[in-house]
Amino acid sequence: MAMADVCLHGARAITLAGPSRAPVTLRAGHFGGTLGTGTLRLDLQGHVLAPGLINAHEHLQINAVPPLPQSAPFANSYAWIDAFQAHFQRRDVAAALQVPKDIRLRQGGLKNLLAGVTCVAQHDPWYAALDAADFPVAVLRAFGWSYALGGPAYGPPVQESFAATPAEQPWMIHLAEGTDAVARAELDALDRLGCLAGNSVLIHGVGLGEQDIDRIIACGAAVVWCPSSNLALLGQTLDPWRLCMAGRLALGSDARVSGGRDLLDDLRLATDSGLAPDLLLGLATHQAARILRLPARGSLAPGAVADLVIVRDRGGEPAASVVGCSRSQLRAVIRDGKPRIADPDFAHWFDAAGIATLPVLLDGCPKLLDAALADPQVLALEPGVQLLSPHTHAATRVAFGAAQ
């Protein structure tokens, strides 16, 4: 079935030029374009439209691995990695890692989609499962990476990987993930290796000092801020202000083995920094797109990929209606112009897009989920998601409709 053209009107849209009441149109998986006679028109009065979120740092395949119990912060990530070795002997950890990797990758993708994320930067080797047409989210493809300057031998060697990465692509590395002298020395070490440049994307950066931040801004590099992971492992996170105001900061969730539940959790935590909601949302949309060299993502601009999050308008600045949301409060998540998970009253959009759905409860709230994403093995790994029987679904839809 051909994808229906869609016109969304009545909502406040978050655009690069500011809030807009102009209709947002979707055609052939992109924003804008001349709409056909069979266009689906949706009145979204009382809603806010935001670009699909971009998660600038993830390890998709380890989101079901139980986190390491700890009684005190670690000095750096290398100490956490050392402590984790004994954790591998736990029965629940071993069982989690025995699940086939393609299933674990899909669960990581689903975790992100449920939180409004439509594109992810995966900081690991590429796996064939990521090429699947029905993978839950888009995954950054054109990039280089190394794991870290220290720790276990994993991933491509630092200098060789950096040299092999074209300057127009991002090159990612965990850096300064700690609060001790080891972490504080890592930017100097990276620079001595000749690997600090305009395409360097430094993950975490908790140990960066003021002069380090000066150098990062001066050379056009960037940092990915993962507050939930930093606070869980290290007990503190970076001060985002200067990097944010210079346009050199993006937001990442990391995996649940060390971070929070999802990128929405990190957005909520980030509000403690005092940054305004529009700046915070930018870290997970247009700023992330620029840093990761994804010009067709992160905005509602004509021609951009039609990835979209729909939430209820809570008044005030539109970005504040997104920042602070939980995943169950997202009304709909649209990827490539098609709804993937949404409240039941969006059923006609699924129908118009030719998408079969299955009813689920997401953290106790009824939703419709694209049936292609409802692999029972994947859903079994994702806490808070429950498939509903048709009878239960009918009852919850009646209750949901009465509550609207």
Side-chain angles (χ1 to χ4, degrees):
M1 181 176 178
M3 185 189 306
D5 296 347
V6 180
C7 177
L8 309 176
H9 61 92
R12 289 199 294 166
I14 298 173
T15 76
L16 295 177
S20 171
R21 289 279 186 183
V24 172
T25 58
L26 294 73
R27 189 172 195 274
H30 292 79
F31 292 116
T34 302
L35 301 181
T37 55
T39 296
L40 176 67
R41 300 181 184 276
L42 299 179
D43 184 352
L44 291 178
Q45 291 279 348
H47 290 80
V48 165
L49 310 181
L53 305 182
I54 299 171
N55 187 347
H57 181 65
E58 251 285 10
H59 301 283
L60 291 167
Q61 73 279 6
I62 52 174
N63 278 283
V65 176
L68 174 68
Q70 63 186 83
S71 57
F74 289 97
N76 59 52
S77 60
Y78 307 127
W80 176 79
I81 290 171
D82 289 343
F84 205 92
Q85 301 311 303
H87 193 52
F88 283 120
Q89 308 308 312
R90 278 180 40 171
R91 184 174 300 176
D92 57 347
V93 174
L97 291 172
Q98 286 171 1
V99 175
K101 187 167 287 183
D102 60 339
I103 298 298
R104 291 189 279 124
L105 286 164
R106 289 188 71 88
Q107 184 250 336
L110 181 64
K111 157 206 152 172
N112 277 277
L113 184 79
L114 297 178
V117 173
T118 53
C119 184
V120 168
Q122 164 80 340
H123 197 151
D124 280 296
W126 193 267
Y127 298 103
L130 302 174
D131 290 315
D134 63 352
F135 196 76
V137 293
V139 183
L140 177 69
R141 287 176 174 268
F143 69 98
W145 70 284
S146 289
Y147 189 76
L149 291 177
Y154 173 74
V158 173
Q159 286 178 294
E160 290 89 334
S161 171
F162 179 81
T165 303
E168 66 272 14
Q169 295 181 7
W171 179 77
M172 303 184 297
I173 186 169
H174 294 90
L175 195 93
E177 189 180 359
T179 57
D180 63 354
V182 171
R184 292 194 296 272
E186 286 203 328
L187 189 75
D188 278 340
L190 189 74
D191 202 1
R192 286 196 299 272
L193 292 174
C195 300
L196 179 62
N199 66 332
S200 301
V201 180
L202 315 177
I203 314 299
H204 297 299
V206 178
L208 296 171
E210 288 299 313
Q211 291 183 340
D212 294 331
I213 292 173
D214 289 339
R215 291 161 66 189
I216 289 168
I217 293 171
C219 76
V223 174
V224 177
W225 181 29
C226 305
S228 62
S229 178
N230 300 158
L231 293 170
L233 268 58
L234 310 172
Q236 68 182 69
T237 190
L238 59 78
D239 182 342
W241 273 83
R242 291 183 59 213
L243 288 164
C244 176
M245 301 313 292
R248 311 314 310 161
L249 190 69
L251 192 70
S253 71
D254 218 331
R256 286 178 182 151
V257 70
S258 64
R261 182 163 76 167
D262 52 44
L263 195 66
L264 292 175
D265 269 4
D266 282 273
L267 273 173
R268 281 193 296 275
L269 269 176
T271 62
D272 291 341
S273 69
L275 289 172
D278 63 327
L279 294 175
L280 292 175
L281 188 61
L283 302 182
T285 53
H286 64 274
Q287 297 285 21
R290 184 174 49 77
I291 288 167
L292 297 176
R293 275 57 169 191
L294 294 168
R297 297 189 181 275
S299 79
L300 308 184
V305 175
D307 290 353
L308 185 68
V309 174
I310 302 174
V311 298
R312 292 205 180 279
D313 193 337
R314 297 186 291 186
E317 184 182 337
S321 293
V322 182
V323 176
C325 267
S326 66
R327 62 185 190 172
S328 65
Q329 293 173 315
L330 302 180
R331 291 273 282 135
V333 180
I334 314 304
R335 184 183 164 218
D336 292 335
K338 297 181 179 181
R340 307 298 174 159
I341 185 165
D343 287 339
D345 56 332
F346 283 91
H348 54 306
W349 193 349
F350 284 101
D351 292 341
I355 297 177
T357 61
L358 288 173
V360 298
L361 284 180
L362 178 62
D363 303 331
C365 295
K367 304 283 183 180
L368 295 176
L369 177 65
D370 181 346
L373 305 178
D375 183 328
Q377 295 181 84
V378 175
L379 296 184
L381 294 178
E382 181 58 27
V385 181
Q386 176 190 350
L387 274 173
L388 293 176
S389 68
H391 175 74
T392 305
H393 176 50
T396 55
R397 284 194 71 169
V398 170
F400 181 88
Q404 297 307 295

